[in-house]
Amino acid sequence: MDTVLVVNAGSSSLKFEVFSIEGGLSRRLKGQMEGVGTAPRLRIKGATEEVLADHQHSQSEVPDLQAAMRLVGAWLRESHEGRLVAVGHRVVHGGPEYGRPVLIDEKVLADLERYVPLAPLHQPNNLAPIRAILARRPDLPQVACFDTSFHRGHSAVADHYAIPERFFAEGVRRYGFHGLSYEYVASRLPELAPEIAPGRVVVAHLGSGASMCALFNGRSVESTLGFTALDGLPMGTRCGQIDPGVILYLLNQKGMTPDQIQDLLYKDSGLKGLSGVSNDVRALLESEDSRAAFALEHFVHRIGLNAGMLAAALGGMDGFVFTAGIGENSPEMRKRIVEKLEWLGAKLDPERNAAGHLLISTADSWLRVYVVPTDEELMIARHTLASSRA
Ligand code: AMP
């Protein structure tokens, strides 16, 4: 059995999936090492969700991502039957140059290192497994799949900030992220929602990271995310759009250091910061604390505003698609959000929404509203197979 390995390495977790490739890509296993450096736990499930491994490790066994990679690599070599033919990696930043997935060699790796300053929290973790596999198996094709690529067709007007052009030239642009998720959803629309697929569609990727993307005929034309994954919607722990003057205030008046501000904006803001209760929408919905309700109200308000912005970018809206953890699993949040889209002609079908149907708007709703589960790993596997065979 020939297989493709998909790797998604973050700062405290290492996620991986294995797909067999004969007769079409099919998921064989899915695992993650969570709590790297704190309370490491390796969990692996098979194709039918059966538990293949569930090990708690000590902090000293898995102090960092390198150790997590060694452990996962050892497990895969020992326990996984099949011949690995390629590895696909989720890489957050493809910079201005990489508009599509790329087969990795030393030159590409050097280019991707140059983008570390554009995504200092994510890019180094994404590149570490590539380097480790390159050292161990230089013959094995590895493909980098970027969160930015899908948005590289945006117009120059959409990609610019109104600051002097020299900054754009050095890479300060509105890149947009969650591109693998949007690309997957866009690839499903012709089959699942043929009446909106060629038209003006806004996709809301609402998970612990959250953004929205405007699609015209399946291509991204605008995104709520920009230079970094901090912009746009408030997220689990990230602030979303904020007046840059707030950063100047924190620096100049509060005497905060850049690192403190970075932590505040990435880790202690968003739903967590605003509610003081949790970054998890499930916990906020259950909470009786008024700050939890306020944080959700703010989240929905910002989604409504951003939907209007993307409708303007598209000159109207034919379809709205929910995806990712909140979008796929929370009828309550979908209901609150669709209320904000009523002015665009959206009418929710409460039964279809509660039952988690694909189409959740009524038959006479002008705006068609869908729920389409995303699958970024499958998208990476598809790209990896295509790029490694090209
Ligand atoms: P993701 O990043 O796509 O895996 O989404 C993770 C987030 O989805 C969690 O932090 C939760 O806030 C949210 N989520 C998952 N399931 C539910 C649910 N049933 N109701 C509300 N939110 C959910």
Side-chain angles (χ1 to χ4, degrees):
M1 178 178 58
D2 285 353
T3 60
V4 167
L5 171 67
V6 171
V7 179
N8 180 358
S11 55
S12 67
S13 75
L14 176 65
K15 297 184 186 158
F16 55 96
E17 299 199 5
V18 173
F19 292 82
S20 62
I21 62 182
E22 271 115 21
L25 284 164
S26 151
R27 191 176 265 108
R28 310 301 299 189
L29 62 85
K30 179 178 183 161
Q32 61 178 15
M33 174 77 86
E34 294 171 319
V36 172
T38 51
R41 181 173 178 188
L42 176 63
R43 279 188 288 185
I44 306 175
K45 287 182 174 173
T48 54
E49 296 284 308
E50 74 279 17
V51 177
L52 300 178
D54 190 349
H55 303 301
Q56 202 82 50
H57 292 274
S58 68
Q59 202 179 353
S60 59
E61 272 179 299
V62 195
D64 53 24
L65 189 58
Q66 275 69 21
M69 287 186 298
R70 277 195 297 277
L71 255 154
V72 167
W75 189 93
L76 287 171
R77 280 192 297 280
E78 272 166 35
S79 315
H80 171 60
E81 292 158 17
R83 190 178 73 98
L84 189 58
V85 296
V87 185
H89 298 266
R90 180 183 194 164
V91 177
V92 69
H93 227 299
E97 282 95 8
Y98 290 95
R100 58 183 55 187
V102 61
L103 197 58
I104 295 164
D105 57 21
E106 289 293 349
K107 145 101 179 58
V108 170
L109 198 50
D111 280 349
L112 302 185
E113 303 269 9
R114 285 199 288 119
Y115 305 143
V116 166
L118 301 183
L121 299 185
H122 296 98
Q123 194 85 341
N125 297 316
N126 300 157
L127 300 185
I130 299 179
R131 219 171 293 107
I133 295 171
L134 201 59
R136 202 182 166 96
R137 293 277 313 270
D139 55 307
L140 189 62
Q142 297 194 72
V143 176
C145 302
F146 305 104
D147 268 319
T148 49
S149 295
F150 189 60
H151 305 294
R152 288 283 46 75
H154 289 185
S155 67
V157 165
D159 262 3
H160 268 73
Y161 289 109
I163 55 176
E165 181 67 23
R166 63 179 184 278
F167 292 106
F168 181 83
E170 70 176 61
V172 183
R173 305 176 182 201
R174 296 191 65 244
Y175 290 98
F177 297 88
H178 295 135
L180 292 158
S181 174
Y182 293 125
E183 189 178 9
Y184 177 80
V185 171
S187 79
R188 299 288 286 138
L189 290 183
E191 185 192 330
L192 298 177
E195 61 290 342
I196 61 163
R200 301 161 299 180
V201 176
V202 169
V203 184
H205 175 108
L206 306 177
S208 45
S211 71
M212 300 203 292
C213 175
L215 297 178
F216 182 71
N217 193 18
R219 300 173 76 108
S220 169
V221 298
E222 254 296 359
S223 160
T224 59
L225 282 172
F227 179 55
T228 68
L230 275 181
D231 205 359
L233 307 178
M235 310 181 206
T237 62
R238 286 176 251 161
C239 58
Q241 185 186 3
I242 193 165
D243 181 339
V246 175
I247 318 293
L248 297 176
Y249 171 81
L250 298 176
L251 274 170
N252 297 330
Q253 307 302 322
K254 303 296 285 183
M256 287 176 74
T257 65
D259 280 350
Q260 286 170 331
I261 296 175
Q262 179 165 289
D263 277 354
L264 175 78
L265 301 181
Y266 275 94
K267 298 181 184 160
D268 292 326
S269 297
L271 296 174
K272 178 183 168 198
L274 204 49
S275 70
V277 173
S278 172
N279 61 339
D280 191 317
V281 167
R282 282 165 294 201
L284 296 177
L285 283 169
E286 277 165 23
S287 170
E288 292 186 354
D289 192 318
S290 61
R291 294 170 309 158
F294 180 77
L296 291 177
E297 195 183 333
H298 178 77
F299 183 57
V300 171
H301 173 69
R302 299 302 305 182
I303 291 171
L305 291 183
N306 279 269
M309 178 184 84
L310 296 182
L314 290 166
M317 202 192 291
D318 304 307
F320 189 90
V321 179
F322 287 100
T323 196
I326 303 162
E328 292 170 28
N329 298 305
S330 179
E332 176 59 29
M333 293 304 289
R334 291 197 297 258
K335 173 173 144 306
R336 296 183 191 186
I337 292 164
V338 172
E339 278 167 15
K340 298 283 180 192
L341 306 176
E342 281 172 0
W343 67 279
L344 286 160
K347 275 197 219 164
L348 189 73
D349 181 323
E351 280 84 39
R352 296 183 71 85
N353 181 42
H357 280 282
L358 168 69
L359 178 68
I360 58 168
S361 50
T362 58
D364 66 342
S365 176
W366 197 93
L367 183 74
R368 295 177 75 83
V369 185
Y370 288 86
V371 181
V372 176
T374 193
D375 197 338
E376 290 156 293
E377 291 76 19
L378 180 57
M379 198 66 235
I380 295 172
R382 283 183 193 164
H383 281 311
T384 303
L385 200 54
S387 303
S388 62
R389 282 175 168 173

